[in-house]
Amino acid sequence: MTDLWQNSMDHAVAAARRAGQVVQQALQDDRKVMTKSSSVDLVTQTDQRVEQLIIQSVKEKFPTHRFIGEESVAAGEPCVLTDDPTWIIDPIDGTTNFVHAFPFVAVSIGFSVNKQVEFGVVYSCLEDKMFTARRGRGAFCNGEPLQVSHQTDIKQSIIATEFGSSRDPEAVDKIFSSLRNVLCIPIHGVRGAGTAAVNMCLVASGCVEAYYETGIHVWDVAAGSLIVSEAGGVLMDTEGGEVDLMSRRIVAANNRTIAERIIREIDPFSPTRDDAPSKSSQ
């Protein structure tokens, strides 16, 4: 049977690795920092350069494919997921990490057809870890199979989350209310890599039992969501039910029991483009 998307995935892996080399080189140079929605919502010239590098290479090879890119949307492009083959790109997930040389910076590329992610590539470029997944074919890190944790007791778990880029007191209060509730279950601890893509790969790797966040975007989680599910994990909305990658809410967990327990502790709020944490690159 013809494999429709293997060439696309091979291209995504190669593009992510090239992008990672650009990021690594940029860390040695002057990192000019700009802001988007707030003083802590950062973007660099490297974000923009990497996204254009990926998009241009895809356009040359797959001219009929569509794109959703973080920096393109920030520049005014629509963020609409259609049934067409679509590349969903976060050129630097962890921009604040990148600015501070904090060692978790990822290039994230998801590929969707009929609004379903067919493959995901997350390259944690400073760690040189290439996470990949194909729908129905498993998840891998540098070619080795991934498997979520077998832990079923949330009190024996580590949970990952992030704090977003909003510093609006009401939004911050809700974030910390949820964090307090989760921490006091009690759990073993809370962690956060500063990038949604890496946090989800940590779930897929079995290092943490779950990751939750409200206010993320589809480019933060498209690739990682498939990596989690192909490693045996589950995806849910923070308000319960199945996840919608366009909803800006996600719980990624090793099993449904832990996901549902976390959902019961989250103080819900509805993210908008302006008032919610806008990305996971704190």
Side-chain angles (χ1 to χ4, degrees), residues 35-55:
T35 62
K36 292 196 280 191
S37 67
S38 73
S39 63
V40 294
D41 188 9
L42 306 181
V43 63
T44 69
Q45 290 178 336
T46 307
D47 292 81
Q48 297 163 341
R49 179 184 173 194
V50 167
E51 183 166 309
Q52 285 307 306
L53 180 154
I54 296 170
I55 289 176

Side-chain angles (χ1 to χ4, degrees), residues 118 159 212 228:
E118 290 293 335
I159 309 301
Y212 74 89
V228 169

Side-chain angles (χ1 to χ4, degrees), residues 149 151-158 185-189 209 258:
S149 163
Q151 182 60 253
T152 58
D153 183 356
I154 195 168
K155 294 182 179 180
Q156 304 295 315
S157 300
I158 288 179
I185 286 173
I187 59 173
H188 274 179
E209 275 63 44
I258 285 180

Side-chain angles (χ1 to χ4, degrees), residues 9 82 136 144:
M9 182 171 180
T82 70
E144 296 297 319

